[in-house]
Amino acid sequence: MRVTTRLATAAATIAAVTALTACGSLQEASDAAAAVADTASTVQVCTEALSQATAVFDPGSPEQAVDQAHSTADRLSELAANAADTTVNEALTALATTMREVTLDDLVLQPAAWLEDKATRVANLTAACT
């Protein structure tokens, strides 16, 4: 009987170790899948954000350019809310703020300064996305 008990105990131990190893492997696979999903999400957010950020505004109509900048800011804020990566989120939020705060005076009186600020924010976003 002792041999049978030892064999049963050994078999139960092997089964438990195998089950725990399988759970660990499943968790690792789940974590890897989540990382891939986050990366795919970040790529999508970055692609859309950079497309929005590099849109050319109509220089002949500053009023329309301001409206376009504000619309772009809204879209960038939506994208920031969906960004899984904190660095991308922060870069999107900073760019959205720049776009949202632009005024007619900025585009008429100081267009170079505003464009430089926007270019810096786009460069930061590009760096965060790579």
Side-chain angles (χ1 to χ4, degrees), residues 22-76:
C23 286
S25 296
L26 288 174
Q27 184 61 46
E28 288 174 13
S30 176
D31 291 346
V36 168
D38 285 349
T39 300
S41 173
T42 299
V43 168
Q44 290 172 337
V45 165
C46 286
T47 300
E48 175 68 21
L50 290 169
S51 172
Q52 292 286 320
T54 57
V56 178
F57 300 129
D58 182 5
S61 175
E63 295 88 359
Q64 187 176 11
V66 169
D67 289 343
Q68 289 173 321
H70 293 170
S71 294
T72 299
D74 292 341
R75 181 65 185 133
L76 292 172

Side-chain angles (χ1 to χ4, degrees), residues 52-122:
Q52 292 286 320
T54 57
V56 178
F57 300 129
D58 182 5
S61 175
E63 295 88 359
Q64 187 176 11
V66 169
D67 289 343
Q68 289 173 321
H70 293 170
S71 294
T72 299
D74 292 341
R75 181 65 185 133
L76 292 172
S77 293
E78 291 171 11
L79 291 170
N82 294 326
D85 184 288
T86 303
T87 306
V88 171
N89 178 298
E90 290 170 356
L92 277 167
T93 300
L95 179 57
T97 299
T98 296
M99 302 294 271
R100 185 173 292 106
E101 292 177 352
V102 69
T103 65
L104 191 56
D105 285 346
D106 292 330
L107 294 182
V108 173
L109 301 176
Q110 302 173 354
W114 183 78
L115 288 172
E116 182 179 348
D117 185 35
K118 179 186 171 206
T120 299
R121 304 286 184 202
V122 171

